[in-house]
Amino acid sequence: MFDFDLIQCGLIVLFLMVAGEVISHKLKAIVPSILASAVLFLILVWSNVLPASVIQDSGLIHLTTIAMMFVILGMGISTNIQELLANWRVVALAAISYIIQTLFIIVIISYVYDLNTAIGGLPGGAAVALIVQEQARSMGHEQIVLLSVLLLSVQGLVACPLVSWMLRKEVSSSLRLMNDKGTDDSVPLEITNTKAASSNKKRSHQSPYWS
């Protein structure tokens, strides 16, 4: 097994992330990039090419909290308010589903396990997992940290490919519908191009965040 210093470990982690993105792009997002990076990491660790502590040795793990703050901030300021209000049913459905899941976990699962373990299994992505792990470590509950990692791993292994397949199917259906409308002779081509040009002109004068 090779020995790497701080900079080399950081470059290796970044290389694995880039390789995962390339693999996901080549496979047309059938395999998520994070899953491809994780598989490459496991192969290199099991082959004794990389040490298992390369991520910790890179020092990048200490930047996760700050990075997630910028990610959440970017998600907030890039939200289109008009589109959010227009799709209020989707927002309401997502909010109701999270509320039901949270109540189910806290009210029912807490009777099977303790309340801290139930809260550690709350649904969410990487940002929620990092918050849960940080709080669990501060409270000394290392088993909750492990539970959060396992749930996030299962979510990335099962849910991400499923969502990717569903999105690809929806995009293909939407493109097919758009092509069918584009070949409709009842709508003159000049009128369609004029409407598209006027729409693009209006959008160019709007704010990318609050349009």
Side-chain angles (χ1 to χ4, degrees):
M1 183 179 296
F2 301 99
D3 294 328
F4 303 98
D5 57 16
L6 178 66
I7 298 178
Q8 291 173 341
C9 289
L11 291 176
I12 290 173
V13 173
L14 295 178
F15 171 77
L16 291 175
M17 295 173 63
V18 172
E21 290 288 344
V22 173
I23 293 174
S24 179
H25 178 72
K26 292 296 182 181
L27 297 178
K28 298 181 179 180
I30 297 177
V31 177
S33 60
I34 187 66
L35 178 60
S37 300
V39 171
L40 288 176
F41 173 75
L42 288 177
I43 292 174
L44 293 175
V45 170
W46 290 343
S47 302
N48 291 327
V49 177
L50 295 179
S53 61
V54 63
I55 298 178
Q56 289 78 7
D57 296 340
S58 65
L60 297 176
I61 194 171
H62 301 292
L63 301 177
T64 53
T65 305
I66 300 176
M68 280 302 165
M69 291 174 57
F70 286 103
V71 169
I72 296 174
L73 179 62
M75 292 170 60
I77 64 176
S78 61
T79 301
N80 191 312
I81 302 300
Q82 292 183 356
E83 291 184 2
L84 190 66
L85 295 176
N87 298 283
W88 65 270
R89 293 181 180 86
V90 178
V91 178
L93 180 62
I96 291 173
S97 64
Y98 272 102
I99 291 173
I100 293 175
Q101 293 178 43
T102 303
L103 291 177
F104 177 81
I105 289 175
I106 294 177
V107 175
I108 298 179
I109 304 300
S110 60
Y111 283 99
V112 181
Y113 304 97
D114 60 292
L115 182 60
N116 291 327
T117 304
I119 295 177
L122 287 174
V128 177
L130 288 174
I131 295 174
V132 170
Q133 292 171 19
E134 183 178 356
Q135 294 298 323
R137 285 194 183 95
S138 64
M139 298 173 62
H141 298 291
E142 292 296 331
Q143 73 278 6
I144 299 179
V145 177
L146 179 60
L147 175 63
S148 178
V149 173
L150 289 176
L151 290 176
L152 188 62
S153 301
V154 172
Q155 177 180 337
L157 185 62
V158 179
C160 288
L162 181 61
V163 171
S164 177
W165 175 78
M166 295 175 66
L167 289 175
R168 285 167 55 86
K169 187 176 181 180
E170 180 64 23
V171 169
S172 299
S173 177
S174 300
L175 289 176
R176 192 179 305 110
L177 182 62
M178 292 174 61
N179 292 331
D180 293 339
K181 288 184 178 181
T183 57
D184 189 1
D185 296 335
S186 62
V187 181
L189 182 60
E190 295 180 357
I191 297 177
T192 304
N193 293 335
T194 303
K195 290 183 178 180
S198 61
S199 177
N200 292 332
K201 185 176 181 181
K202 290 180 180 179
R203 291 179 181 177
S204 63
H205 295 287
Q206 294 176 347
S207 171
Y209 300 141
W210 303 99
S211 57

